[in-house]
Amino acid sequence: MDPIRNPYAPGAGQRPPELAGRDQELGAFDVVLERVSRGRPERSLVLTGLRGVGKTVLLNALRSAAVRRHWGTGKLEARPDQALRRPLSSALHQAVRELGHPQSDGVDHVLGVIKAFAHREAGPDAKLRDRWNPGIEVPTTRGRADSGDIEIDLVELLTDVGGLAADQGTGVAVFVDEMQDLGADDVSALCAACHEISQSGLPVIVVGAGLPHLPAVLSASKSYSERLFRYQRIDRLPRKAADRALTAPAEDEDAAWSPDALAAMYAATGGYPYFIQAYGKAVWDRATGSPITTADVEVAAPEAEAELAVGFFGSRYDRATPGERDYLRAMADVALEETPVDVPPDDSVLTADVAASLGKKPQSLSPARDSLLKKGLIYSAERGRIAFTVPHFGRYLRESS
Ligand SMILES: Nc1ncnc2c1ncn2[C@@H]1O[C@H](COP(=O)(O)OP(=O)(O)OP(=O)(O)O)[C@@H](O)[C@H]1O
Ligand SMILES: [Mg+2]
């Protein structure tokens, strides 16, 4: 069918034509926004899940929900080895701009505090400070959020931002994607600041998204983090939602899917959103007409797989060193051996078994494992076990060897 009218959208953070199966999360977030704007205590949301399940697009949808309620919003993507100060100041700068009222004294004060917070990263080195300008034109406020202790500074910063939002009768929401990549000090300070802010009833929330081990990262940092955040596991879509992700965009283009084709699509994609979009795109282009049939799915499947092998799996595999690749392949083999036939073998495996399969001592493999963890290719859900962060990665590795 006409590729120009192809509605499907595979790609990291690509807004899907239909955000299927996430009504519960969107509804829960509306409650959070309403309660927080009324000064009621409420836990914020943290979305966790594997690669490509739709965390980023859901985070963006939550942000849109906040904007519709006239909240100020900002977003940042954490990166390993990057301190929180600069990206957070940019996000809060954006949030304050969205609040409006640019001419008021309160706004100038808060912008000055954000600037002070951002500049503190450079320490006393004025040259370093001048090299990076957060784009805030007001003078820096002194003696607020600039102590150099990230925890103290964050509390002061969020208190002032929250105070401004409260004065204007709205709130501020900061969205942190890839939250598991925040540094240990930054995570700890962010939790402490959220704790403090929620106790003072100020309308500020931090909404996070990250890999499945994010709750463990947060609770290792502050034991009370479970009381700060409500963890929502974002997973593959159930059959009905997966069908909807395909049929709703087709309907908008006056096209349809046959029931058998939908069943074949679910078998191929496992309901994983990224795979749904990738297959949807390939099948649409190959289909001879509406309704799209099982035969169309079969014809396009190799193309979809080839596309995924490059864009989804290959791009990640390429980031691993030869030693790390051996480790990944051993994981894939062990996973296959250990899983019963009727379960997709993508579940976690024992690190000891991986070492045994490579004929090495577990300790000698720690560098490879740590590096893969840092690259976000694997995660450890519980002690002594690891799993792929990428769905169907084991299968890809086994088939491509
Ligand atoms: N609810 C949904 N319905 C239909 N398609 C979706 C849905 N959620 C996400 N997608 C599609 O899935 C793909 C992956 O989404 P996204 O980038 O948000 O995943 P992610 O969880 O952030 O992945 P990563 O961990 O790699 O950052 C995109 O092409 C997006 O359009
Ligand atoms: Mg993402």
Side-chain angles (χ1 to χ4, degrees):
M1 291 196 290
D2 184 0
I4 293 168
R5 294 177 63 188
N6 192 326
Y8 302 105
Q14 278 286 336
R15 194 157 73 98
E18 167 81 13
L19 186 69
R22 303 296 185 221
D23 292 348
Q24 190 248 328
E25 290 83 1
L26 289 165
F29 190 61
D30 269 336
V31 174
V32 171
L33 288 176
E34 193 57 46
R35 284 182 60 86
V36 172
S37 31
R38 293 182 191 189
R40 300 213 173 233
E42 186 54 82
R43 285 183 298 172
S44 184
L45 294 189
V46 166
L47 315 172
T48 68
L50 298 176
R51 295 278 170 216
V53 287
K55 301 177 297 295
T56 299
V57 299
L58 183 55
L59 203 62
N60 291 341
L62 300 182
R63 184 178 180 185
S64 302
V67 169
R68 278 197 299 275
R69 282 173 179 257
H70 308 289
W71 278 45
T73 68
K75 188 180 160 196
L76 65 102
E77 186 181 310
R79 302 223 170 91
D81 309 320
Q82 187 190 44
L84 178 64
R85 277 187 193 257
R86 286 184 186 187
L88 182 64
S89 5
S90 301
L92 286 172
H93 183 199
Q94 170 78 33
V96 169
R97 287 171 62 93
E98 281 182 14
L99 283 176
H101 309 282
Q103 250 62 56
S104 81
D105 287 350
V107 170
D108 280 1
H109 165 80
V110 169
L111 288 176
V113 175
I114 295 175
K115 199 170 176 181
F117 176 81
H119 273 167
R120 192 60 180 78
E121 185 176 85
D125 189 343
K127 255 201 243 132
L128 212 61
R129 200 166 57 212
D130 290 343
R131 231 183 291 153
W132 187 73
N133 190 325
I136 297 174
E137 300 304 334
V138 304
T140 310
T141 309
R142 302 256 171 240
R144 198 82 184 134
D146 61 357
S147 76
D149 178 324
I150 181 75
E151 191 163 324
I152 295 174
D153 292 352
L154 258 182
V155 171
E156 291 182 355
L157 176 70
L158 294 183
T159 302
D160 288 5
V161 170
L164 179 69
D167 288 347
Q168 299 187 4
T170 66
V172 160
V174 181
F175 297 84
V176 183
D177 205 355
E178 303 290 348
M179 198 177 190
Q180 77 282 340
D181 283 340
L182 286 177
D185 289 350
D186 287 341
V187 171
S188 163
L190 197 59
C191 288
C194 287
H195 194 42
E196 187 82 26
I197 295 296
S198 71
Q199 285 168 354
S200 56
L202 285 169
V204 176
I205 52 168
V206 173
V207 187
L211 292 174
H213 64 294
L214 177 56
V217 170
L218 295 176
S219 68
S221 155
K222 295 280 186 216
S223 55
Y224 56 73
S225 65
E226 281 122 74
R227 280 174 278 138
L228 285 179
F229 301 112
R230 175 160 353 129
Y231 297 116
Q232 300 240 342
R233 178 78 192 225
I234 306 305
D235 219 329
R236 51 172 127 172
L237 298 175
R239 175 67 202 269
K240 240 174 111 182
D243 286 359
R244 198 161 163 72
L246 291 166
T247 54
E251 270 162 33
D252 291 342
E253 301 295 335
D254 297 319
W257 291 76
S258 82
D260 287 353
L262 287 174
M265 285 293 277
Y266 199 70
T269 63
Y272 282 107
Y274 196 104
F275 300 156
I276 292 175
Q277 299 298 332
Y279 265 83
K281 180 132 199 256
V283 173
W284 175 284
D285 281 354
R286 277 308 192 117
T288 44
S290 176
I292 300 169
T293 64
T294 321
D296 296 327
V297 177
E298 275 163 16
V299 170
E303 228 160 84
E305 289 298 325
E307 195 73 41
L308 285 168
V310 177
F312 192 68
F313 299 116
S315 61
R316 296 192 156 98
Y317 186 66
D318 289 348
R319 284 163 45 205
T321 63
E324 292 162 15
R325 290 177 186 181
D326 291 344
Y327 195 90
L328 292 171
R329 287 186 182 281
M331 276 179 70
D333 293 340
V334 171
L336 185 65
E337 284 159 25
E338 286 185 356
T339 350
V341 259
D342 51 343
V343 181
D346 261 336
D347 282 325
S348 66
V349 294
L350 287 165
T351 52
D353 291 349
V354 178
S357 119
L358 287 166
K360 299 212 168 140
K361 288 215 176 75
Q363 298 90 305
S364 73
L365 292 168
S366 303
R369 197 187 55 225
D370 290 350
S371 169
L372 288 168
L373 285 165
K374 200 165 173 195
K375 289 179 182 171
L377 287 165
I378 63 173
Y379 72 101
S380 173
E382 48 187 305
R383 227 185 141 79
R385 299 193 78 91
I386 38 160
F388 295 117
T389 58
V390 180
H392 295 179
F393 203 49
R395 192 172 80 187
Y396 160 77
L397 291 173
R398 286 189 296 272
E399 286 172 4
S400 66
S401 61

